[in-house]
Amino acid sequence: MRGVDADTRNPTPRTTPAPPAPSRAAVRLALPAAVLAAVAGAFAYVGTVDPNEPGHYPACPLLRLTGLYCPGCGGLRSAHAVVHGDVLTALQANAPAVLGYAGFAVLWTVWVVRAARGRPPRLDPAPWHAWTLGALLLVFTVVRNLPFGGWLHP
């Protein structure tokens, strides 16, 4: 074939290489990373916007309507104190919330380790765990609303 360049007769296809597929570990860790990012964002916001200053957050509806403290009252103040490293103030504002933050950290760490090892996340509490937690929160709520439980007020 005259007039045809040797390179154009049998061109080699030029393709761009495909981007590398994400590793299985990265895919397994994506959801725990997203949950951590959301929680860290929430704590960063509460750490920046002080709940002790009026007008930044809505008031507790139960406290506003009845004057009683719910188990969550003081939770934002507690989170703000935790972000600033003041654990004693956080415990005074809402001790169960601080225990909940620590419990979340432990459960999240277990989740990440299991995901990194390729195991499915597993949380299988016995019914008595939920009943015990509910009873402790109920006792906390009742005691913090009695006259001698004033030290538990946020």
Side-chain angles (χ1 to χ4, degrees), residues 61-126:
L62 182 68
L63 181 62
R64 177 178 267 175
L65 293 174
T66 65
L68 297 173
Y69 294 104
C70 76
C73 282
L76 288 174
R77 290 184 198 98
S78 175
H80 181 78
V82 166
V83 168
H84 291 279
D86 191 357
V87 178
L88 291 177
T89 300
L91 286 169
Q92 196 279 327
N94 192 325
V98 175
L99 295 175
Y101 308 149
F104 171 80
V106 169
L107 290 175
W108 183 86
T109 303
V110 170
W111 183 19
V112 167
V113 169
R114 289 184 65 85
R117 293 180 178 172
R119 295 182 179 169
R122 193 179 113 186
L123 182 62
D124 192 21

